[in-house]
Amino acid sequence: MTEETVGAVEVLEVDIDAAAGLTGELIAAIGEVCDRAEDGRGAVVVLRIEGAAGHVLAPDTGVLTKWEGVLRRLERLPALSVAAMRGPCGGVALDAAMAADYRVAHPEVGLVLSTGSGEVWPGMALYRMSRLSQRAPVRRAALLGMPVGADDALAAGLVDELSQEPAVGVARLVEHLAGGWGADLAIRRDLLRSTAEFEGALGGHLAACDRLLRRAASA
């Protein structure tokens, strides 16, 4: 993990190399980033992702369980997470990218669900992709293992921006935001993604609104 400060924003960065597969070191690195983001305010987590296709995710389901646990932490952080994506994005790269709030991808990126054996990996990246989009490229990827190209990924909402230099796009986004996403980012995420009953979502919404009104009144 590396860190820097852009304006008032603490930027926490972690490198993800899909060619290396899923390792304890990678799980620990993202866990450390989550620790730091949960402790502070106004942070942005940047995932610098170098993709690889056809790589089996993990040696066993125990490691996968730990991996999904740390990705779930990432999704619930009180900090924005941004992915800078290069290469044929499969395996751990695709998992991490789909868990981020915002994705900047190289125009030649491809989202790949298949493994080295040619089968479609039934991982949680598929779940996250389906939550983002139900368009035809997602169905073809899930059912037939067909890669999702950059243009299709952008049109389907699987990536938010294409850039020849994804890291530059991420840096520009961080500088533009300057911490303006607010303290209740996690609540707003839950409202977007929630499958809970209306009453359950309403409770979190009202609590977040009350906190915002209190902050506004004291400003």
Side-chain angles (χ1 to χ4, degrees):
M1 183 190 77
T2 60
E3 59 181 290
E4 61 177 311
T5 301
V6 178
V9 181
E10 182 182 24
V11 180
L12 308 171
E13 300 178 320
V14 59
D15 292 317
I16 298 175
D17 180 5
L22 180 53
T23 64
E25 289 77 12
L26 175 58
I27 293 172
I30 296 184
E32 182 182 358
V33 163
C34 290
D35 289 341
R36 291 294 303 274
E38 287 166 350
D39 288 343
R41 293 193 177 187
V44 173
V45 173
V46 175
L47 309 175
R48 293 192 298 253
I49 294 172
E50 290 290 335
H55 200 289
V56 176
L57 257 174
D60 57 60
T61 55
V63 176
L64 283 175
T65 298
K66 293 179 181 177
W67 174 236
E68 283 303 329
V70 80
L71 289 181
R72 192 63 176 141
R73 282 186 70 192
L74 179 70
E75 288 183 308
R76 293 175 168 177
L77 288 178
L80 192 74
S81 57
V82 186
M85 305 161 60
R86 283 185 174 275
C89 196
V92 293
L94 185 60
D95 268 2
M98 291 300 106
D101 292 312
Y102 194 90
R103 288 164 289 277
V104 182
H106 188 273
E108 295 183 1
V109 79
L111 310 185
V112 185
L113 284 164
S114 59
T115 69
S117 66
E119 296 185 50
V120 176
W121 181 260
M124 290 298 287
L126 176 56
Y127 169 80
R128 294 181 173 99
M129 290 170 72
S130 72
R131 296 292 297 271
L132 290 166
S133 175
Q134 288 287 343
R135 298 187 63 165
V138 178
R139 294 197 303 275
R140 291 194 293 266
L143 301 177
L144 305 175
M146 297 175 66
V148 181
D151 290 337
D152 281 341
L154 181 65
L158 299 176
V159 301
D160 299 285
E161 179 182 339
L162 298 181
S163 173
Q164 290 288 341
E165 294 295 335
V168 174
V170 168
R172 185 174 61 249
L173 176 67
V174 170
E175 186 175 1
H176 170 72
L177 288 171
W181 50 88
D184 285 304
L185 175 66
I187 292 292
R188 299 202 303 276
R189 271 200 218 102
D190 284 344
L191 289 171
L192 285 171
R193 297 174 177 170
S194 179
T195 58
E197 294 295 329
F198 175 81
E199 289 76 11
L202 181 63
H205 147 73
L206 291 175
C209 289
D210 182 63
R211 288 191 293 271
L212 190 152
L213 291 170
R214 289 175 184 273
R215 289 194 298 272
S218 63

